[in-house]
Amino acid sequence: MPFIDLPDVTLFHIDRQPSAGVPHTCALSMPTVLIHGLWGSADTWTHQLPRLRTRCRTLAVDLRGHGRTGPSAGGYSTDRHAADVEAFVERLAPGPVVLIGHSMGASVAAVLAARRPDLVHALVSIDPDYAGTDDSRARMRALADELDGPSAEAAASRIISALAQGPDTPAHIVERHRLAAMRLSPETRARIFRHNAFHPGSIRFRPESDALLRRRPQPVLALHRDTARMRADEQSFTHPGSKAVAVQGTGHFFHQEIPAYVNSEIDRWLATLPPPPS
């Protein structure tokens, strides 16, 4: 069964072995682990899973509170999610691995990479939610309060629509993520949102994020819509193989909106990675 029991949660996951006949020149010598964003699930990677399988074993996880994993009494802080992914990797794909995270998943990956450089060889961050401007805290607190209030569903739908909608975003992508958010209970949605942004250890805002991001020794590929976040990411890079890419004219879920472009960027960058130490 695609579930793994941890001390206080049972995580759903997808585990895909490499496609048969992968040419040696295309193979990646380590697994990739995919981490979805806020209110999402492993289903967000439907465009990436088939492509990555042409290189390596590929795993995707539903974080606690999300998808088929379900809610948890233990809370939803970034640190808690990172500890879950750490245990998941140690059990199923002992490192090193390449972590690929979208939005909140990129924050989870960054925390784990700083904590366990022996377990994480490289990082791909897709529109990460870390390193937000300090002046956005008040707006996020207001949204957190709305998600705890009587109009919680309308607030969640508005948040997803604002994130997902780009100039040319197909309506089905917006609706897909709105429906995914609606599958969660209002209480779970609200706790995930508040813990992601404001729980101790969160890297949602600067300057708290800066020190943690500088502790990532790995090469990082960071694809950003937000130029301020991209600059903060670049300033934190410590590995010469790191690269930041500006993505314009799309919504937040651009790995689904322009998957061929995202997959090609990941492909080219993975090909430049040095092999993990023996």
Side-chain angles (χ1 to χ4, degrees):
M1 294 293 289
F3 292 89
I4 180 170
D5 291 322
L6 301 183
D8 66 339
V9 70
T10 299
L11 296 181
F12 174 86
H13 65 280
I14 295 168
D15 187 352
R16 298 288 183 260
Q17 296 297 322
S19 305
V22 176
H24 178 72
T25 54
C26 297
L28 190 66
S29 60
M30 70 203 92
T32 53
V33 177
L34 309 177
I35 311 172
H36 64 78
L38 181 86
W39 302 339
S41 72
D43 296 346
T44 195
W45 301 110
T46 51
H47 296 285
Q48 283 67 52
L49 281 163
R51 181 63 182 171
L52 287 166
R53 283 189 66 207
T54 67
R55 284 187 173 275
C56 59
R57 182 185 179 195
T58 304
L59 303 99
V61 62
D62 283 359
L63 297 174
R64 61 173 62 215
H66 296 79
R68 286 141 291 195
T69 291
S72 166
Y76 307 105
S77 69
T78 307
D79 282 338
R80 177 77 68 166
H81 289 312
D84 288 345
V85 177
E86 179 180 7
F88 173 80
V89 170
E90 286 187 318
R91 290 268 295 276
L92 290 185
V97 300
V98 176
L99 295 181
I100 302 179
H102 171 250
S103 191
M104 182 184 77
S107 290
V108 172
V111 169
L112 179 53
R115 179 187 297 168
R116 290 292 306 275
D118 60 309
L119 208 60
V120 180
H121 184 65
L123 294 163
V124 178
S125 297
I126 298 174
D127 215 23
D129 73 350
Y130 54 66
T133 56
D134 185 61
D135 59 8
S136 65
R137 290 177 198 262
R139 179 176 61 84
M140 293 292 286
R141 287 196 185 279
L143 289 173
D145 290 343
E146 281 193 76
L147 290 169
D148 277 324
S151 301
E153 292 206 357
S157 181
R158 191 173 68 253
I159 289 167
I160 287 294
S161 295
L163 281 171
Q165 188 69 58
D168 300 306
T169 305
H172 70 85
I173 290 180
V174 181
E175 186 64 9
R176 180 189 308 173
H177 290 282
R178 193 188 70 79
L179 291 174
M182 292 303 111
R183 283 197 290 269
L184 306 180
S185 72
E187 179 186 17
T188 299
R189 280 197 307 264
R191 291 186 71 207
I192 291 170
F193 187 94
R194 194 178 291 276
H195 287 195
N196 166 249
F198 301 113
H199 196 278
S202 169
I203 57 171
R204 182 64 176 74
F205 306 105
R206 301 186 73 187
E208 292 90 338
S209 61
D210 294 350
L212 185 285
L213 295 178
R214 285 194 295 268
R215 285 170 42 211
R216 300 172 298 177
Q218 301 89 347
V220 179
L221 172 64
L223 290 80
H224 285 270
R225 289 187 310 150
D226 186 312
T227 55
R229 280 194 169 99
M230 186 175 77
R231 286 193 294 270
D233 219 349
E234 286 182 300
Q235 291 165 8
S236 76
F237 290 162
T238 60
H239 193 285
S242 296
K243 178 183 178 183
V245 178
V247 178
Q248 299 178 338
T250 72
H252 181 51
F253 301 94
F254 57 73
H255 57 305
Q256 296 177 336
E257 190 171 343
I258 50 172
Y261 170 79
V262 171
N263 290 351
S264 66
E265 286 288 337
I266 294 173
D267 265 351
R268 284 195 295 269
W269 186 76
L270 288 178
T272 71
L273 289 181
S278 299

